[in-house]
């Protein structure tokens, strides 16, 4: 449990004050925050709330979406928000195809160029940009970076500590080549996230995740690969699931902890 981090989206409707109180009561000292609820509560208030409760913020989720107008300024703001919250990791979801485009190769090249433009600001703020490869079903509308190789190729254009890669079991479990590549990645692993894969997927597929142990992902194989890579950082549980979200926050947290401890 000393590495466990509760990702805020797992209890999407739990307001920030109650979330912090619930984590403290449960003895959890790590949390991953999301930009939207932090902005709603107020950046400075959020930073003070988690700091005064003794919580460390493992990551800020999420920025990127480089196909949108205004991406540069929004991502710079996200970097500043991460630094203000006391986390050194900003998760990047790279965005899908521009409206009306079929040029996925061009979109991927743009992601690499965009990250290169952001690196100086992130480096000055002490924030690592953590590229998250998403499952290929999200390529059109959410993320054109879909494999470990694609994410790592971008990260390796920059020094370790400036740009890394996110290991998310939900997005990578299907790739039969990924485990040895994770083992070899070493310090390029910026964050490690757990979510299980269940079927049938819901409409829109975004909320088809489950708590660890409830689906078909071999979590222990991922644990072994991440450990061999030398990663010793936090392990976040990040689940998006409508049925889970309908439940009280403290129940979600208790079951999240149980799922984490079961694997």
């Amino acid at each position: 449990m000393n590495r466990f981090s509760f990702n805020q989206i797992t209890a999407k409707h739990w307001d920030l004050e109650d979330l912090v109180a619930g984590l403290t009561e449960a003895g959890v000292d790590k949390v991953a925050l999301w930009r939207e609820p932090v902005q709603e509560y107020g950046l400075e208030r959020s930073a003070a709330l988690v700091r005064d409760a003794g919580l460390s913020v493992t990551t800020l989720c999420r920025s990127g979406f480089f196909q949108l107008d205004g991406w540069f300024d929004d991502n710079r703001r996200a970097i500043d928000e991460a630094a203000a919250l006391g986390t050194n990791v900003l998760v990047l979801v790279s965005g899908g195809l521009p409206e009306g485009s079929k040029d996925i190769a061009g979109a991927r090249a743009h992601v690499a160029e965009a990250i290169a433009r952001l690196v100086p600001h992130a480096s000055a703020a002490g924030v690592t940009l953590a590229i998250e490869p998403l499952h290929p079903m999200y390529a059109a509308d959410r993320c054109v970076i879909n494999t470990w190789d694609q994410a790592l190729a971008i990260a390796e254009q920059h020094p370790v500590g400036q740009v890394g890669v996110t290991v998310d079991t939900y997005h990578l479990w299907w790739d039969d080549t990924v485990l040895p590549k994770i083992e070899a990645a070493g310090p390029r692993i910026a964050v490690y996230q757990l979510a299980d894969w269940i079927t049938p997927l819901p409409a829109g597929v975004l909320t088809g995740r489950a708590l660890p142990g409830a689906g078909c992902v071999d979590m222990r194989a991922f644990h072994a690969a991440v450990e061999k890579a030398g990663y010793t950082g936090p392990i976040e549980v990040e689940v998006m699931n409508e049925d889970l979200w309908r439940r009280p926050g403290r129940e979600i947290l208790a079951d999240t902890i149980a799922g984490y401890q079961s694997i």
Side-chain angles (χ1 to χ4, degrees):
M1 286 299 296
N2 66 328
R3 297 175 66 185
F4 171 74
S5 177
F6 186 78
N7 191 293
Q8 185 176 19
I9 201 67
T10 305
K12 181 179 180 179
H13 304 300
W14 206 6
D15 71 72
L16 187 57
E17 289 187 359
D18 287 344
L19 167 64
V20 168
L23 293 175
T24 302
E25 291 168 10
V28 175
D29 63 359
K30 297 177 181 64
V31 65
L33 297 177
W34 276 60
R35 293 184 69 198
E36 293 83 358
V38 165
Q39 291 166 355
E40 181 179 346
Y41 189 77
L43 178 60
E44 292 184 3
R45 289 181 69 206
S46 298
L49 181 66
V50 295
R51 182 179 61 247
D52 293 347
L55 295 175
S56 62
V57 181
T58 53
T59 62
L60 179 63
C61 301
R62 63 216 179 339
S63 195
F65 294 96
F66 299 118
Q67 86 279 20
L68 300 177
D69 293 339
W71 67 264
F72 182 68
D73 290 338
D74 185 62
N75 277 273
R76 283 171 60 91
R77 284 192 295 271
I79 290 165
D80 294 339
E81 292 164 11
L85 292 167
T87 181
N88 62 352
V89 178
L90 174 65
V91 176
L92 296 183
V93 174
S94 300
L97 292 170
E99 186 174 357
S101 173
K102 298 181 180 180
D103 183 8
I104 194 168
R108 287 171 176 153
H110 172 63
V111 170
E113 294 164 0
I115 289 172
R117 287 188 61 189
L118 292 170
V119 163
H121 189 71
S123 180
V127 173
T128 298
L129 303 176
I131 305 168
E132 182 169 10
L134 266 60
H135 189 281
M137 67 181 172
Y138 296 108
D141 63 342
R142 188 162 295 270
C143 188
V144 295
I145 303 302
N146 308 114
T147 68
W148 182 265
D149 288 344
Q150 291 166 356
L152 188 63
I154 297 172
E156 287 182 336
Q157 297 174 31
H158 307 280
V160 169
Q162 292 186 3
V163 183
V165 183
T166 300
V167 176
D168 186 321
T169 58
Y170 178 80
H171 292 299
L172 296 173
W173 75 276
W174 58 275
D175 186 347
D176 65 340
T177 72
V178 79
L179 293 177
K181 292 173 182 177
I182 290 172
E183 292 176 14
R188 285 292 175 184
I189 299 174
V191 60
Y192 176 32
Q193 297 177 331
L194 305 182
D196 223 327
W197 182 286
I198 53 173
T199 54
L201 292 173
V205 303
L206 186 62
T207 55
R209 297 175 175 228
L211 294 174
C216 59
V217 178
D218 186 349
M219 298 287 180
R220 293 180 181 175
F222 273 90
H223 281 340
V226 169
E227 293 294 315
K228 287 180 181 178
Y231 179 81
T232 59
I235 303 173
E236 296 180 4
V237 177
E238 182 193 53
V239 175
M240 304 173 195
N241 183 289
E242 294 285 354
D243 290 336
L244 190 67
W245 286 344
R246 294 187 186 100
R247 299 171 55 196
R250 282 171 173 77
E251 287 186 13
I252 297 173
L253 175 60
D255 282 354
T256 301
I257 293 171
Y260 172 84
Q261 291 178 323
S262 72
I263 58 175

